[in-house]
Amino acid sequence: MTDNPFDRFDLDPLAPADALTERLREIAEDAADPGAARAVWERLTLHAHERVRFALSTFIEERETVASAPRVAPSSGSEAASGRENPLHARPLPRLTEGILEPSARLDSLDSLDEDPLLDESNE
Amino acid sequence: MDHPLTPDWTPEDERLLAELGELEAMRALWALAAPYGAAPLPERSRTLARAASATDAGRRAVHVAAGGDARPFAAFLAEVELATAAPPLVHGLACYLDRLGDAFATARERARSDDVGARTDELAEAERAVRARSLAAWARLYDERAHLVALATRVAGDSLDAAACARAAEDAATSALSELAARARGGAVDATDDAASALILLARVSDACRIAGVSAKTARHWVVRADGARADAIEVALLGITDALREARQASDLVRAAVPAFEKARRIWEWAGNDEAVEKLAVDELTTIAWDLYRVANWAGLRALLAPVAALFESLESRVLRDPAAQLAYAAKCAQALVFMSEAETDRGREWQLAERALAICPTHRNGRLVLAGLCLNQALRTLEYGTLFSLGRDIAAVEPLILRAEKLYPQSKKLADAKKRLEDAKRRAGVSVSP
């Protein structure tokens, strides 16, 4: 059975140890039972061999994605050390949603469901 | 880059759209392939769709899947040639198949707890099929090495040196093997279905290596590990049997004490997918105990003892016939087991057949020759005793080769002289010349 901590806590397998620590600390703070997050933290950050083994056993985004902001907040200097770039810092946010999925624009254009012809029984 | 949706369409927008498509493709694939109620894949699984999109066929399949129809994508993945595919695709596929295997395992356990037997078997078979392909994918990555080592180096950063990174990459590739070994050993004492499934998969490692097109060195390494894990689990399962049989020999009722141990051996043999090691242990153990019963002519006891393990001996017999050189050490033992089966048999036809089979796998087996010679002479004597004047010619023709065969098989047979004498008497009565 694959019980991969990177999947269980939705961690980035390429994140450096200090970033994993930060993310797992956040998870532990919000968790009813912080023990699980702590156990994973020990496994991933104190045992580099284990971290690599688990990381290689799951899907790895070898490039930064546009769709999701990095789930693990990198510590200062760690990006340069890992050779990876945080798109949130380096580039403006993608503009795909602007004008298309802008909440106010979408909601304003919707008619009231009360007037929806499909719900109008007299049309049946 | 312009796009009909917006006049200021950027490369980032294009990439985001592609990523969303990859994600949708993976969701559609999972909805199609995974059993009901399976936990969703992590979003990072889109790397598989991305790797598949590196080829034209894959890109088309992913595009269609993003629209909701994952069948071409599933077919594309099923047909990926592991031996030649790009390592990122093989890696994504291996991770996907691992999670699909887990999903089938979870569904199988749910079906078992709901007591839906047929569905349980179906899910177990689906899990094995998926895991067998996953093993092949990991074997390929282990063999290719460079992809996993490069990733390991990126993940480890400064925390591991190059040699340690390579070891971690190796461990990641062989994790599936290690998990199967742990599952097989963990369920060995109780001979669980899950452990049986793991044993079947370990036995398929050789096929997985062939499918993955790995080097002979990698294949040897993987097969040795898998065979070792199988042997280890089976040894754990068999632990109690030898002790139980040793105690049985001291018991007042040998048969009553020994039969449950042989019944357990039969269950372990079935659990282990008709494993050869179990057959050999059974034949070793049976020979010792069976002689005790044979000496006191306890045929009913011998029959009771043989009944649970007869199938094991027949399987071992087939192995000896298939590869006599490799099974040389067990040919005589297996022949002896068949002789015991012949001796304990109440049906005359099967009794004869079993003795013939004993000599087929070990032509020089003394007891086999003795028993078959005895059967030939008994048959000859019966024929002559119950023959009539009208059947005399036919009887002589039938009996003569039987006596000749008995003499050739075992010249010291006690009934040989009597049979020869009766044959001569019959010939005289029939007016046939008697050889000196």
Side-chain angles (χ1 to χ4, degrees):
Chain A
M1 289 286 193
T2 312
D3 181 20
N4 193 307
F6 287 105
D7 290 356
R8 185 153 36 122
F9 292 104
D10 200 13
L11 305 169
D12 178 0
L14 288 174
D18 54 352
L20 288 172
T21 300
E22 188 56 38
R23 178 68 187 128
L24 285 164
R25 190 200 315 267
E26 287 169 16
I27 291 169
E29 279 170 6
D30 294 340
D33 171 23
R38 184 176 171 78
V40 165
W41 172 76
E42 282 186 5
R43 229 170 158 186
L44 295 185
T45 60
L46 302 183
H47 308 284
H49 182 97
E50 283 285 274
R51 185 168 82 248
V52 174
R53 196 173 64 78
F54 279 123
L56 266 55
S57 301
T58 188
F59 304 95
I60 297 182
E61 292 263 22
E62 290 193 66
R63 69 171 199 215
E64 280 294 352
T65 60
V66 182
S68 58
R71 291 192 173 76
V72 177
S75 61
S76 59
S78 62
E79 286 167 17
S82 65
R84 297 164 63 224
E85 185 188 23
N86 182 343
L88 285 177
H89 299 164
R91 294 189 294 269
L93 279 170
R95 287 171 293 166
L96 178 64
T97 56
E98 287 174 18
I100 301 172
L101 298 172
E102 197 68 39
S104 58
R106 296 280 294 147
L107 289 173
D108 288 348
S109 67
L110 288 174
D111 292 329
S112 162
L113 287 178
D114 293 337
E115 294 163 26
D116 189 328
L118 286 173
L119 298 177
D120 186 354
E121 290 179 2
S122 63
N123 283 352
E124 287 178 3
Chain B
M1 183 189 295
D2 287 337
H3 193 279
L5 287 175
T6 170
D8 51 356
W9 190 259
T10 68
E12 280 80 10
D13 295 334
E14 190 64 32
R15 239 179 87 182
L16 174 59
L17 192 63
E19 285 171 8
L20 291 174
E22 289 157 6
L23 195 56
E24 282 309 311
M26 289 309 299
R27 284 177 179 153
L29 176 68
W30 194 241
L32 175 73
Y36 176 77
L41 287 172
E43 288 191 3
R44 279 179 279 106
S45 65
R46 64 178 152 227
T47 54
L48 173 59
R50 191 172 306 148
S53 299
T55 65
D56 288 342
R59 190 163 43 251
R60 279 195 300 275
V62 168
H63 179 74
V64 174
D69 179 7
R71 285 171 302 179
F73 190 20
F76 170 82
L77 293 176
E79 287 162 15
V80 166
E81 286 286 345
L82 295 172
T84 52
L89 175 57
V90 179
H91 191 194
L93 185 58
C95 294
Y96 164 74
L97 292 170
D98 283 348
R99 276 140 195 85
L100 190 56
D102 290 349
F104 278 121
T106 305
R108 183 198 68 207
E109 286 312 307
R110 220 173 29 234
R112 192 191 311 285
S113 66
D114 291 346
D115 207 16
V116 191
R119 188 82 181 123
T120 307
D121 295 344
E122 196 182 307
L123 288 164
E125 188 46 51
E127 184 203 348
R128 281 196 293 272
V130 165
R131 292 206 192 277
R133 186 145 166 83
S134 152
L135 277 172
W138 283 114
R140 162 81 178 123
L141 291 165
Y142 177 96
D143 197 52
E144 191 272 345
R145 213 163 277 252
H147 172 78
L148 289 184
V149 171
L151 281 179
T153 307
R154 279 184 69 183
V155 172
D158 299 333
S159 54
L160 292 178
D161 62 23
C165 279
R167 273 198 304 278
E170 246 179 49
D171 282 356
T174 54
S175 278
L177 263 185
S178 306
E179 280 173 22
L180 286 176
R183 276 173 59 187
R185 193 185 164 94
V189 171
D190 299 322
T192 63
D193 290 345
D194 185 58
S197 233
L199 285 176
I200 291 171
L201 280 166
L202 286 167
R204 290 186 189 171
V205 163
S206 176
D207 288 342
C209 288
R210 187 177 43 74
I211 290 165
V214 300
S215 66
K217 188 181 170 193
T218 294
R220 201 163 45 246
H221 178 71
W222 276 58
V223 170
V224 164
R225 267 190 73 163
D227 286 353
R230 269 183 66 85
D232 183 48
I234 291 166
E235 199 180 313
V236 169
L238 291 172
L239 270 181
I241 290 185
T242 313
D243 292 342
L245 289 173
R246 195 179 306 118
E247 284 170 21
R249 293 196 73 188
Q250 311 302 321
S252 54
D253 188 342
L254 172 60
V255 175
R256 200 188 166 101
V259 164
F262 283 113
E263 283 171 345
K264 188 179 177 191
R266 164 72 180 250
R267 282 196 300 275
I268 292 170
W269 179 68
E270 286 168 349
W271 166 78
N274 304 354
D275 187 79
E276 187 180 331
V278 187
E279 295 164 10
K280 288 180 172 172
L281 177 124
V283 85
D284 284 339
E285 294 293 339
L286 178 114
T287 312
T288 318
I289 292 181
W291 276 120
D292 293 345
L293 299 173
Y294 185 84
R295 283 188 200 101
V296 294
N298 182 353
W299 307 121
L302 194 56
R303 264 195 299 281
L305 208 62
L306 286 162
V309 281
L312 280 69
F313 302 149
E314 283 167 1
S315 173
L316 187 58
E317 176 195 6
S318 302
R319 292 183 203 281
V320 177
L321 287 170
R322 271 199 307 273
D323 193 352
Q327 301 291 349
L328 191 62
Y330 273 83
K333 288 183 183 182
C334 188
Q336 183 57 53
L338 291 170
V339 170
F340 281 136
M341 286 164 74
S342 171
E343 297 272 68
E345 184 57 63
T346 51
D347 179 274
R348 212 169 272 165
R350 284 201 295 269
E351 179 187 23
W352 194 299
Q353 201 181 43
L354 284 160
E356 294 276 17
R357 281 162 54 186
L359 285 188
I361 57 170
C362 187
T364 56
H365 194 261
R366 180 185 174 277
N367 292 332
R369 294 176 78 90
L370 185 151
V371 166
L372 192 55
L375 291 172
C376 287
L377 293 172
N378 284 345
Q379 173 73 17
L381 289 168
R382 265 196 310 273
T383 306
L384 292 172
E385 190 170 343
Y386 297 107
T388 62
L389 188 62
F390 304 108
S391 67
L392 205 53
R394 210 168 48 242
D395 291 345
I396 290 167
V399 158
E400 203 154 24
L402 285 173
I403 294 176
L404 280 174
R405 190 178 182 203
E407 189 168 20
K408 200 173 167 190
L409 283 169
Y410 198 70
Q412 305 91 326
S413 293
K414 287 175 188 166
K415 293 177 183 170
L416 184 61
D418 185 30
K420 277 181 166 176
K421 185 176 173 302
R422 290 194 190 198
L423 177 63
E424 283 170 14
D425 290 347
K427 281 181 173 176
R428 272 191 207 99
R429 274 193 287 148
V432 179
S433 65
V434 178
S435 54

